[in-house]
Amino acid sequence: MRIGARLGLDYAHGAVLDGRRIVGTARAPMAGSVSSTVEVLFRDLARFRASAIESVTWDVSSVLEATLRSGTDADLTSHAGDWTPPPVRSVAAIRVVPRSPRGLVPGTHPSSLVRSLVAWRGTVIGGHDLFGTELARLDSDAAGNCADVAKAIGLTALAVTATGASATPVHEERVATRVLEVFPSARLCLSHELGGLGLLEREATTIVNAALLDAAEELVTTCEAITGRFGRAVSCWFATADGGRVSARRFHRLPVLGLSATRATALTGAAVLAERPNALIALVGKSAILVGQVRDYLPHVESDLSGDLGARLTTPQPVVSVQPVVDALVAAEWLAEHPQPIEVVAPLDAVGLDLADRLSSANSDTVVLIRDDADLAAVGAAWTEPSAWLDLLVPVEASDGLDEAQSQAEQQALALVATNGARPGSERIIRSTAAAVGYLSICHLQIRASSGTEPEVKP
């Protein structure tokens, strides 16, 4: 059996899954600290231990998003009762670029969220082009000076983003080495670890990841402790926005992977409850309808989406169309006129159940309506398998060079899935794409791997 648990703003939900059968569910109000809420949830879930528990997968997306918004949303606590999100960490952002920015103030970021997370910015001369050619010699002294400033003002989380790092991470790695020589206790996040094309998108993802390090440490510590009480052999996982899961160790270092996970787990949960591995699903809530596609129970995902945070990130997220619910009749018409036929309708809350009933009644022969009381995201979290996503730039001279680079990237993704705890031999490539970057001899590779699913035909 597996357990899935979702920590929301108002309630924590849990589901015990035996295959596709729900053994039990639990619900605990989010009050006080995360640890106290998880403790209550554990006691309720422990009652359903009919056989050995294999794993517990935690969907903490809402907690992470609340943490990021805590510094800018004055109304957050009113939405979350008397629960306070974990602290957000202020970040020192270092850009490695070929020339200094104009003026005395280093370049900022177009995202208001990202700007709110950065307490200080520094610039280091350096960087590469997409072919791996050095655009400017790295200024190691400037990297050391940045470390000195961050240390002096008490910023221990540093986000380093270098021009061309998706293809050649050498300068980011050298900056990291220099920073740690000056500031050994610094916690570094490097943009090439997350991949992606654009400098601003990589920087946003790296800064958000650095800002979440403290929250992730608290969440991992709490969730691992509770998971261990189910038994020493029970593994602890964290749901990710690509529809998979990662180990506690990897999540501790890359918590940004958990953002938007609830959309992914809810889509998977609806597909599991409807027994429709391939379907277009409408998730109906009190304020919006979300429509997304699943294949082999995995949501369709893409990178470089802004999601709910309004900041474009390089990490993958479910592709969903969103329709605000202002009037039930208008919402029903929108759903009926959707370009692709909706096959599964699932309510996200009590208000959504009434609307879902109305939306599905006119198409009862073709639409499956989920009426189960279980939390969709908790069910989906329990269903998840180890996953990996790679987003790389690779210079290629000929088609055989591309084939070799793509094959190497696929093997790297499979190795990540294996080291994340997949069952031996269950690793699969779900998606492997290569797209030319403009007219250049450079390819953009995106590799998605998972465990326990059939491979998808390459586009």
Side-chain angles (χ1 to χ4, degrees), residues 165-223:
S166 294
T168 308
V170 174
H171 280 187
E172 284 191 353
E173 293 168 344
R174 289 180 181 171
V175 168
T177 299
R178 181 59 180 147
V179 167
L180 291 175
E181 288 174 354
V182 175
F183 191 2
S185 61
R187 300 181 70 177
L188 292 172
C189 295
L190 310 181
S191 78
H192 75 269
E193 296 178 326
L194 296 158
L197 277 176
L199 177 74
L200 292 177
E201 291 77 12
R202 279 190 292 112
E203 183 181 59
T205 311
T206 309
I207 289 170
V208 167
N209 191 69
L212 289 172
L213 291 176
D214 281 350
E217 185 171 6
E218 177 181 330
L219 289 167
V220 168
T221 300
T222 300
C223 294

Coordinates of all heavy atoms in Angstrom, one line a residue, residues 165-223:
A165 N 25.0 29.1 -19.4 CA 25.2 28.0 -18.4 C 24.5 26.7 -18.8 O 24.9 25.6 -18.4 CB 24.9 28.4 -17.0
S166 N 23.4 26.8 -19.6 CA 22.6 25.6 -20.0 C 23.5 24.8 -20.9 O 23.3 23.5 -20.9 CB 21.3 26.0 -20.7 OG 20.4 26.7 -19.8
A167 N 24.4 25.4 -21.6 CA 25.3 24.6 -22.5 C 26.6 24.4 -21.9 O 27.2 23.3 -22.1 CB 25.4 25.4 -23.8
T168 N 27.1 25.4 -21.1 CA 28.5 25.3 -20.5 C 28.4 25.9 -19.1 O 28.4 27.1 -18.9 CB 29.5 26.1 -21.4 OG1 29.4 25.7 -22.7 CG2 30.9 25.9 -20.8
P169 N 28.4 25.0 -18.1 CA 28.2 25.5 -16.7 C 29.5 25.9 -16.0 O 29.6 26.1 -14.8 CB 27.6 24.3 -16.0 CG 28.1 23.1 -16.7 CD 28.3 23.5 -18.2
V170 N 30.7 25.9 -16.7 CA 32.0 26.1 -16.1 C 32.1 27.3 -15.3 O 32.6 27.3 -14.1 CB 33.1 26.1 -17.2 CG1 34.4 26.4 -16.6 CG2 33.1 24.8 -17.9
H171 N 31.6 28.4 -15.7 CA 31.7 29.7 -15.0 C 30.8 29.7 -13.7 O 31.3 30.2 -12.7 CB 31.4 30.9 -15.9 CG 32.5 31.3 -16.7 ND1 32.5 32.4 -17.5 CD2 33.7 30.7 -17.0 CE1 33.7 32.5 -18.2 NE2 34.4 31.5 -17.9
E172 N 29.7 29.1 -13.8 CA 28.9 29.0 -12.6 C 29.6 28.1 -11.5 O 29.6 28.5 -10.3 CB 27.5 28.3 -12.9 CG 26.5 29.3 -13.5 CD 25.1 28.8 -13.6 OE1 24.9 27.6 -13.2 OE2 24.2 29.5 -14.0
E173 N 30.2 27.0 -12.0 CA 30.9 26.2 -11.0 C 32.1 26.9 -10.4 O 32.4 26.7 -9.2 CB 31.3 24.9 -11.8 CG 30.1 24.0 -12.2 CD 30.5 22.9 -13.1 OE1 31.6 23.0 -13.7 OE2 29.7 22.0 -13.3
R174 N 32.8 27.7 -11.2 CA 34.0 28.4 -10.7 C 33.6 29.5 -9.7 O 34.3 29.8 -8.7 CB 34.8 29.0 -11.9 CG 35.5 28.0 -12.7 CD 36.3 28.6 -13.8 NE 37.0 27.6 -14.7 CZ 37.6 27.8 -15.8 NH1 37.7 29.1 -16.3 NH2 38.2 26.9 -16.5
V175 N 32.5 30.2 -10.0 CA 32.0 31.2 -9.1 C 31.6 30.5 -7.8 O 31.9 31.0 -6.7 CB 30.7 31.9 -9.7 CG1 30.0 32.7 -8.6 CG2 31.2 32.8 -10.8
A176 N 31.0 29.3 -7.9 CA 30.6 28.6 -6.7 C 31.8 28.3 -5.8 O 31.8 28.4 -4.6 CB 29.8 27.4 -7.0
T177 N 32.9 27.8 -6.5 CA 34.1 27.5 -5.8 C 34.7 28.7 -5.1 O 35.1 28.6 -3.9 CB 35.1 26.9 -6.8 OG1 34.6 25.7 -7.4 CG2 36.4 26.5 -6.1
R178 N 34.7 29.8 -5.8 CA 35.3 31.0 -5.2 C 34.4 31.5 -4.0 O 35.0 31.9 -3.0 CB 35.4 32.1 -6.3 CG 36.0 33.4 -5.8 CD 37.4 33.2 -5.2 NE 37.9 34.5 -4.7 CZ 38.8 34.6 -3.7 NH1 39.1 33.5 -3.1 NH2 39.2 35.7 -3.3
V179 N 33.1 31.5 -4.2 CA 32.2 31.9 -3.1 C 32.5 31.1 -1.9 O 32.5 31.6 -0.7 CB 30.8 31.8 -3.6 CG1 29.8 32.0 -2.4 CG2 30.5 32.9 -4.6
L180 N 32.6 29.8 -2.0 CA 32.7 28.9 -0.9 C 34.1 29.1 -0.2 O 34.2 28.8 1.0 CB 32.5 27.4 -1.3 CG 31.0 27.1 -1.7 CD1 30.9 25.7 -2.2 CD2 30.1 27.3 -0.5
E181 N 35.1 29.5 -1.0 CA 36.4 29.8 -0.4 C 36.3 31.0 0.6 O 36.9 31.0 1.7 CB 37.4 30.1 -1.5 CG 37.9 28.9 -2.3 CD 38.8 29.3 -3.4 OE1 38.9 30.5 -3.7 OE2 39.3 28.4 -4.1
V182 N 35.5 31.9 0.2 CA 35.3 33.2 1.0 C 34.2 33.0 2.1 O 34.4 33.5 3.2 CB 35.0 34.3 0.1 CG1 34.7 35.6 0.9 CG2 36.1 34.6 -0.9
F183 N 33.2 32.2 1.8 CA 32.0 32.1 2.6 C 31.6 30.6 2.7 O 30.7 30.2 2.0 CB 30.9 32.9 1.9 CG 29.7 33.2 2.8 CD1 29.6 32.7 4.1 CD2 28.6 33.9 2.2 CE1 28.4 32.9 4.8 CE2 27.5 34.1 3.0 CZ 27.4 33.6 4.3
P184 N 32.3 29.8 3.4 CA 32.1 28.4 3.4 C 30.7 27.9 3.8 O 30.3 26.8 3.4 CB 33.1 27.9 4.5 CG 34.2 29.0 4.5 CD 33.4 30.2 4.3
S185 N 30.0 28.7 4.6 CA 28.7 28.3 5.1 C 27.5 28.7 4.1 O 26.4 28.5 4.4 CB 28.4 28.9 6.5 OG 28.4 30.3 6.5
A186 N 27.9 29.4 3.0 CA 26.9 29.8 2.0 C 26.2 28.6 1.4 O 26.8 27.5 1.2 CB 27.5 30.6 0.9
R187 N 24.9 28.8 1.1 CA 24.1 27.8 0.4 C 23.9 28.2 -1.0 O 23.2 29.3 -1.2 CB 22.8 27.5 1.2 CG 23.0 27.1 2.6 CD 21.7 26.8 3.3 NE 21.0 25.6 2.8 CZ 19.9 25.2 3.3 NH1 19.3 25.8 4.3 NH2 19.3 24.1 2.8
L188 N 24.4 27.5 -1.9 CA 24.4 27.9 -3.3 C 23.4 27.2 -4.2 O 23.2 26.0 -4.0 CB 25.8 27.7 -3.9 CG 26.9 28.6 -3.4 CD1 28.3 28.1 -3.9 CD2 26.7 30.1 -3.7
C189 N 22.8 27.9 -5.1 CA 21.9 27.4 -6.1 C 22.4 27.8 -7.4 O 22.6 29.0 -7.6 CB 20.4 27.8 -5.9 SG 19.7 27.2 -4.3
L190 N 22.7 26.9 -8.3 CA 23.3 27.2 -9.6 C 22.2 26.9 -10.7 O 21.6 25.9 -10.7 CB 24.5 26.4 -9.9 CG 25.6 26.4 -8.7 CD1 26.8 25.6 -9.1 CD2 26.0 27.8 -8.4
S191 N 22.1 27.9 -11.7 CA 21.0 27.8 -12.6 C 21.1 26.6 -13.6 O 20.1 26.1 -14.0 CB 20.9 29.1 -13.5 OG 21.9 29.1 -14.5
H192 N 22.3 26.1 -13.9 CA 22.5 25.0 -14.8 C 21.9 23.7 -14.2 O 21.6 22.8 -15.0 CB 23.9 24.8 -15.2 CG 24.8 24.2 -14.2 ND1 25.5 24.9 -13.3 CD2 25.1 22.9 -13.9 CE1 26.2 24.1 -12.5 NE2 25.9 22.8 -12.8
E193 N 21.8 23.6 -12.9 CA 21.2 22.4 -12.3 C 19.7 22.3 -12.6 O 19.1 21.2 -12.5 CB 21.3 22.5 -10.8 CG 22.8 22.5 -10.3 CD 22.9 22.6 -8.8 OE1 22.1 23.3 -8.2 OE2 23.8 21.9 -8.2
L194 N 19.1 23.4 -13.0 CA 17.6 23.4 -13.3 C 17.4 23.5 -14.8 O 16.3 23.2 -15.3 CB 16.9 24.5 -12.6 CG 17.0 24.4 -11.1 CD1 16.8 25.7 -10.4 CD2 16.0 23.4 -10.6
G195 N 18.4 24.0 -15.6 CA 18.2 24.0 -17.0 C 17.3 25.1 -17.5 O 16.8 25.9 -16.8
G196 N 17.1 25.1 -18.9 CA 16.3 26.1 -19.5 C 17.0 27.0 -20.4 O 18.2 27.2 -20.3
L197 N 16.3 27.6 -21.3 CA 16.9 28.5 -22.3 C 17.2 29.9 -21.8 O 18.4 30.3 -21.8 CB 16.0 28.6 -23.5 CG 16.1 27.5 -24.6 CD1 15.0 27.7 -25.6 CD2 17.4 27.4 -25.2
G198 N 16.2 30.7 -21.4 CA 16.4 32.1 -21.1 C 17.1 32.4 -19.9 O 16.9 31.7 -18.8
L199 N 17.9 33.4 -19.9 CA 18.7 33.9 -18.7 C 17.7 34.3 -17.6 O 17.8 33.8 -16.4 CB 19.6 35.0 -19.0 CG 20.3 35.6 -17.8 CD1 21.5 34.7 -17.4 CD2 20.9 37.0 -18.2
L200 N 16.7 35.0 -17.9 CA 15.7 35.5 -16.9 C 14.9 34.4 -16.3 O 14.6 34.3 -15.1 CB 14.8 36.6 -17.5 CG 15.4 37.9 -17.8 CD1 14.4 38.8 -18.5 CD2 16.1 38.6 -16.6
E201 N 14.5 33.4 -17.1 CA 13.7 32.3 -16.7 C 14.6 31.4 -15.7 O 14.1 30.9 -14.7 CB 13.2 31.4 -17.8 CG 12.1 32.1 -18.6 CD 12.6 33.2 -19.6 OE1 13.9 33.2 -19.8 OE2 11.8 34.0 -20.1
R202 N 15.8 31.1 -16.1 CA 16.7 30.4 -15.3 C 17.0 31.1 -14.0 O 17.0 30.5 -12.9 CB 18.0 30.1 -16.0 CG 18.0 28.9 -17.0 CD 19.3 28.5 -17.5 NE 20.0 29.5 -18.3 CZ 21.0 30.2 -18.0 NH1 21.6 30.0 -16.9 NH2 21.5 31.1 -18.9
E203 N 17.2 32.4 -14.1 CA 17.5 33.2 -12.9 C 16.3 33.1 -11.9 O 16.4 32.9 -10.7 CB 17.8 34.6 -13.2 CG 18.2 35.4 -12.0 CD 18.5 36.9 -12.3 OE1 17.6 37.6 -12.9 OE2 19.6 37.3 -12.0
A204 N 15.1 33.3 -12.5 CA 13.9 33.3 -11.6 C 13.7 31.9 -10.9 O 13.5 31.9 -9.7 CB 12.6 33.5 -12.5
T205 N 14.0 30.8 -11.6 CA 13.9 29.5 -11.1 C 14.9 29.3 -10.0 O 14.6 28.7 -8.9 CB 14.0 28.4 -12.2 OG1 13.2 28.8 -13.3 CG2 13.7 27.1 -11.6
T206 N 16.1 29.8 -10.2 CA 17.2 29.6 -9.2 C 17.0 30.4 -8.0 O 17.2 29.9 -6.9 CB 18.5 30.0 -9.9 OG1 18.7 29.3 -11.2 CG2 19.7 29.6 -9.0
I207 N 16.5 31.6 -8.2 CA 16.2 32.5 -7.0 C 15.1 31.9 -6.2 O 15.1 31.9 -4.9 CB 15.9 33.9 -7.5 CG1 17.2 34.6 -8.0 CG2 15.3 34.8 -6.3 CD1 16.9 35.9 -8.7
V208 N 14.0 31.5 -6.8 CA 12.9 30.9 -6.1 C 13.3 29.6 -5.3 O 13.0 29.4 -4.2 CB 11.7 30.5 -7.1 CG1 10.7 29.6 -6.4 CG2 11.1 31.8 -7.6
N209 N 14.2 28.8 -6.0 CA 14.7 27.6 -5.3 C 15.5 28.0 -4.1 O 15.3 27.4 -3.0 CB 15.6 26.8 -6.3 CG 15.9 25.5 -5.7 OD1 15.1 24.6 -5.6 ND2 17.2 25.3 -5.4
A210 N 16.4 29.0 -4.2 CA 17.2 29.5 -3.1 C 16.3 30.0 -1.9 O 16.6 29.8 -0.7 CB 18.2 30.5 -3.5
A211 N 15.2 30.7 -2.3 CA 14.4 31.3 -1.3 C 13.6 30.2 -0.5 O 13.2 30.5 0.6 CB 13.4 32.3 -1.9
L212 N 13.4 29.1 -1.1 CA 12.7 28.0 -0.4 C 13.5 27.0 0.4 O 13.0 26.1 0.9 CB 11.9 27.2 -1.5 CG 10.7 27.9 -2.2 CD1 10.2 27.1 -3.4 CD2 9.6 28.2 -1.2
L213 N 14.8 27.2 0.5 CA 15.7 26.3 1.1 C 15.3 26.0 2.6 O 15.3 24.9 3.1 CB 17.1 26.7 1.0 CG 17.7 26.6 -0.4 CD1 19.1 27.2 -0.4 CD2 17.7 25.2 -0.9
D214 N 15.0 27.1 3.3 CA 14.6 27.0 4.7 C 13.3 26.2 4.9 O 13.2 25.3 5.7 CB 14.5 28.3 5.4 CG 15.9 28.9 5.8 OD1 16.9 28.2 5.7 OD2 16.0 30.1 6.1
A215 N 12.3 26.6 4.1 CA 11.0 25.9 4.1 C 11.2 24.5 3.8 O 10.6 23.6 4.5 CB 10.0 26.6 3.2
A216 N 12.0 24.2 2.8 CA 12.2 22.8 2.4 C 12.9 22.0 3.5 O 12.5 20.8 3.8 CB 13.0 22.7 1.1
E217 N 13.8 22.6 4.2 CA 14.5 21.9 5.3 C 13.5 21.5 6.4 O 13.5 20.4 6.9 CB 15.6 22.8 5.9 CG 16.4 22.1 6.9 CD 17.7 22.9 7.3 OE1 17.8 24.1 6.8 OE2 18.5 22.4 8.1
E218 N 12.6 22.5 6.7 CA 11.6 22.2 7.8 C 10.6 21.1 7.3 O 10.3 20.2 8.1 CB 10.8 23.5 8.1 CG 9.7 23.3 9.1 CD 8.9 24.6 9.4 OE1 9.5 25.7 9.3 OE2 7.7 24.5 9.7
L219 N 10.2 21.2 6.1 CA 9.2 20.2 5.5 C 9.8 18.8 5.5 O 9.2 17.8 5.9 CB 8.7 20.7 4.2 CG 7.8 21.9 4.1 CD1 7.6 22.4 2.7 CD2 6.4 21.5 4.7
V220 N 11.0 18.7 5.0 CA 11.7 17.4 4.8 C 11.9 16.8 6.2 O 11.6 15.6 6.4 CB 13.0 17.6 4.1 CG1 13.8 16.3 4.2 CG2 12.8 17.9 2.6
T221 N 12.4 17.6 7.2 CA 12.6 17.1 8.5 C 11.3 16.6 9.1 O 11.3 15.4 9.7 CB 13.2 18.2 9.4 OG1 14.4 18.6 8.9 CG2 13.4 17.7 10.8
T222 N 10.2 17.3 9.0 CA 8.9 17.0 9.6 C 8.4 15.7 8.9 O 7.9 14.8 9.5 CB 7.9 18.1 9.5 OG1 8.5 19.2 10.2 CG2 6.6 17.7 10.0
C223 N 8.3 15.8 7.6 CA 7.7 14.7 6.8 C 8.5 13.4 6.9 O 7.9 12.3 7.0 CB 7.5 15.1 5.4 SG 6.4 16.4 5.1

